[in-house]
C-alpha cells in the first residue's frame, strides 16, 4: 500500500489536466456511471467544526475521504481550515491501495469544478474575475482559473485585508488588484470562498450576466449570497440532495423561499448535453458547489496511477 504525503500529491498534480478529469466525472455521474451515497456529517459544535465521511465509486475506482472543516484553525492554531485523508481501495478485492493526504486534493478538485462550471455557464467574453475570501480555496481557484482563461483583472477582497495582500503576492505575474467588496462583485465571474453564515454579497452588487461560483457554503446553515440573487439567477448545483441540504441554497430552501423546482439542474446534466447551460448574455448564473466524493475519487485514481508510474510515495506493508 502506498502512503502519499501532501508533498507527493503536490508533485504529482498537473494543474492543467484537472478540469478535464473533473468534467469527465460530472458526466459519468449524470449518466449513471458512479455510485455516491450522501455525505455523512459529524457535527462538533463544541469545537466549532465538523467532520465529513465521503465514499464513492467511479469507473473502477473507489474510496473514502475523511475530511474536517475547522474555520478557526488558521487564526487559532496556524493550521488549515480543511484537513483531509483519503483511503483509496481496490474495488475488486477491497484491499487498500493507497492512503493519501487529501487537503490539497480537496481544494484542487473544488477549483477544477469551478473551472468546469465557468466554462459551461459564464459569458464566453468574460474578462474579469472576483474572489471574495482569500484563503486556500481562493489560492487554488486562481491557479486553475488563470490557467484556463486570460483575465484583464482579478479582484481580491477579504474581510482581513492582509489575506488579500498575501494572496496577491503569490501571483506576481497576474493582473491582480486588492479592493473593496463592491468592486470585487462587479467582476464578470465571481467566486465566493468564505465560511460565512450570513449573506455577504448583496443583490445590488451583482451586474446582469455575472456567473457566480458559490463555494463557501458546504454545510447546513452556511450562506454567502443574498437570497434575492438566488431568486433571480439560474441555479445549477453539483448534486441536488447535497445542495438543498448543505449548499448555498440550503437556507433559502429550508426557509421556503426557494423550492427544488427553482434549481435549473445539475452541472453534470449540462455537461452531458441533457440541459442547456447559459441561455442569454444577461442572465445571472450560479454554480452551487458542495463538493462531491466522486471528484475526490477521480483525482485519487489519477494520483495513484501517476504515483505508481513515477515511483512516488512510501510503500507500507499494512497486511
Ligand atoms: N464547495 C466545496 O466543494 C468546498 C470545498 C472546500 C472548501 N469549501 C468551503 O470554502 C470555504 C473556504 O475554505 P478555505 O479552505 O479557503 O478557508 P480559509 O480559512 O483558508 O479561507 C477563508 C477566507 O475567508 C475570509 N473570510 C471569512 N469571512 C469573510 C467575510 N465575511 N468576507 C470576506 N472574507 C471572509 C477569511 O478571512 C479567510 O481568508 C469554507 O467555508 C469551506 O468549508 C467548500
Amino acid at each position: 500500500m502506498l502512503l502519499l504525503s501532501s508533498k507527493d500529491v503536490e508533485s504529482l498534480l498537473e494543474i492543467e489536466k484537472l478540469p478535464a478529469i473533473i468534467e469527465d466525472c460530472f458526466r459519468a455521474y449524470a449518466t449513471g456511471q458512479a455510485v455516491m451515497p450522501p455525505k455523512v456529517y459529524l457535527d462538533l459544535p463544541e469545537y466549532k467544526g465538523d467532520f465529513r465521511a465521503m465514499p464513492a465509486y467511479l469507473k473502477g475506482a473507489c474510496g473514502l475521504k475523511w475530511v474536517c472543516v475547522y474555520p478557526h484553525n488558521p487564526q487559532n492554531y496556524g493550521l488549515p481550515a480543511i484537513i483531509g485523508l483519503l483511503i483509496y481501495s481496490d474495488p475488486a478485492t477491497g484491499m487498500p491501495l493507497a492512503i493519501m493526504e487529501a487537503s490539497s486534493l480537496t481544494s484542487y478538485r473544488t477549483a477544477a469544478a469551478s473551472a468546469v462550471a465557468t466554462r459551461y455557464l459564464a459569458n464566453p467574453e468574460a474578462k474579469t474575475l472576483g474572489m471574495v475570501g482569500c484563503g486556500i480555496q481562493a489560492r487554488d481557484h486562481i491557479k486553475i482559473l488563470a490557467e484556463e482563461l486570460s483575465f484583464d483583472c482579478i479582484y481580491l477582497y477579504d474581510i482581513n485585508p492582509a489575506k488579500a495582500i498575501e494572496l496577491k503576492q503569490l501571483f506576481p505575474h497576474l493582473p491582480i488588484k486588492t479592493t473593496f467588496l463592491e468592486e470585487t462583485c462587479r467582476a464578470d465571474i465571481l467566486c465566493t470562498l468564505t465560511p460565512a453564515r450570513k449573506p455577504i454579497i448583496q443583490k445590488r452588487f451583482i451586474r446582469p450576466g455575472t456567473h457566480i461560483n458559490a463555494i463557501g457554503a458546504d454545510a447546513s446553515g452556511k450562506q454567502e449570497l443574498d437570497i434575492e440573487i438566488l431568486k433571480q439567477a439560474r441555479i445549477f448545483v453539483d448534486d441536488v440532495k447535497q445542495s438543498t441540504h448543505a449548499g448555498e441554497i440550503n437556507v433559502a430552501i429550508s426557509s421556503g423561499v426557494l423550492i427544488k423546482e427553482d434549481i435549473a439542474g445539475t452541472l453534470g446534466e449540462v455537461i452531458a448535453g441533457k440541459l442547456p447551460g447559459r441561455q442569454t448574455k444577461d442572465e445571472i448564473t450560479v454554480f452551487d458547489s458542495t463538493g462531491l466524493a466522486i471528484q475526490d475519487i477521480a483525482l485519487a485514481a489519477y494520483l495513484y496511477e501517476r504515483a505508481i508510474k513515477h515511483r512516488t510515495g512510501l510503500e507500507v506493508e499494512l497486511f
Side-chain angles (χ1 to χ4, degrees):
M1 194 206 65
L2 267 187
L3 264 186
L4 296 175
S5 69
S6 53
K7 269 194 189 149
D8 297 330
V9 169
E10 288 279 355
S11 76
L12 291 167
L13 281 168
E14 302 154 294
I15 297 272
E16 70 286 359
K17 300 225 167 117
L18 305 186
I21 294 170
I22 295 301
E23 181 174 358
D24 195 45
C25 106
F26 270 114
R27 190 178 292 109
Y29 187 43
T31 51
Q33 299 173 65
V35 183
M36 188 176 68
K39 260 186 215 187
V40 173
Y41 284 80
L42 172 65
D43 288 317
L44 299 176
E46 63 272 43
Y47 297 102
K48 297 190 168 62
D50 69 62
F51 282 82
R52 296 131 197 226
M54 301 173 65
Y57 169 85
L58 175 80
K59 293 183 170 181
C62 76
L64 168 79
K65 186 171 81 171
W66 176 239
V67 63
C68 70
V69 179
Y70 277 69
H72 301 288
N73 261 359
Q75 211 179 336
N76 293 351
Y77 306 108
L79 290 173
I82 294 176
I83 302 170
L85 268 187
L86 190 141
I87 303 173
Y88 182 64
S89 302
D90 181 348
T93 63
M95 282 295 279
L97 298 171
I99 294 180
M100 55 187 85
E101 190 275 342
S103 316
S104 48
L105 176 150
T106 298
S107 106
Y108 282 117
R109 64 80 149 128
T110 305
S114 294
V116 176
T118 301
R119 200 184 283 168
Y120 282 91
L121 302 176
N123 268 314
E125 63 271 26
K127 279 285 167 218
T128 52
L129 175 67
M131 314 293 282
V132 176
C134 295
I136 289 174
Q137 308 306 313
R139 180 198 65 197
D140 294 341
H141 270 69
I142 293 178
K143 284 187 199 167
I144 292 193
L145 286 167
E147 178 74 34
E148 282 264 304
L149 295 166
S150 138
F151 295 107
D152 290 347
C153 190
I154 302 174
Y155 299 100
L156 304 184
Y157 168 78
D158 196 288
I159 198 165
N160 173 358
K163 295 288 293 181
I165 292 167
E166 233 172 74
L167 186 60
K168 176 179 156 88
Q169 284 166 351
L170 294 179
F171 302 97
H173 57 292
L174 292 176
I176 293 184
K177 178 180 177 192
T178 59
T179 184
F180 51 93
L181 178 60
E182 286 86 335
E183 187 174 20
T184 304
C185 294
R186 286 203 285 269
D188 301 325
I189 299 162
L190 179 66
C191 300
T192 59
L193 311 123
T194 78
R197 291 186 160 267
K198 292 249 154 51
I200 317 167
I201 320 291
Q202 301 306 318
K203 168 76 185 63
R204 66 179 190 280
F205 301 165
I206 301 298
R207 290 184 308 145
T210 307
H211 170 65
I212 306 174
N213 292 310
I215 308 303
D218 60 351
S220 175
K222 286 169 109 175
Q223 58 177 153
E224 298 179 288
L225 309 182
D226 180 356
I227 285 183
E228 291 304 313
I229 300 174
L230 298 176
K231 276 164 69 182
Q232 198 191 323
R234 284 185 73 227
I235 303 167
F236 296 86
V237 299
D238 54 7
D239 180 73
V240 173
K241 264 196 198 143
Q242 279 194 193
S243 298
T244 49
H245 167 255
E248 181 59 44
I249 58 174
N250 85 85
V251 175
I253 293 269
S254 63
S255 60
V257 176
L258 290 185
I259 54 171
K260 264 192 198 166
E261 288 65 29
D262 291 320
I263 301 171
T266 67
L267 179 59
E269 288 171 311
V270 177
I271 294 169
K274 296 178 172 186
L275 195 74
R278 170 170 292 272
Q279 290 176 314
T280 70
K281 200 168 172 283
D282 282 343
E283 70 190 1
I284 294 168
T285 49
V286 171
F287 171 52
D288 181 354
S289 162
T290 57
L292 304 185
I294 47 165
Q295 299 167 346
D296 299 311
I297 299 308
L299 272 208
Y302 155 82
L303 285 169
Y304 179 71
E305 205 176 283
R306 281 184 54 77
I308 297 291
K309 187 170 161 198
H310 296 281
R311 296 171 186 276
T312 306
L314 182 67
E315 191 66 56
V316 179
E317 209 170 305
L318 256 195
F319 292 90

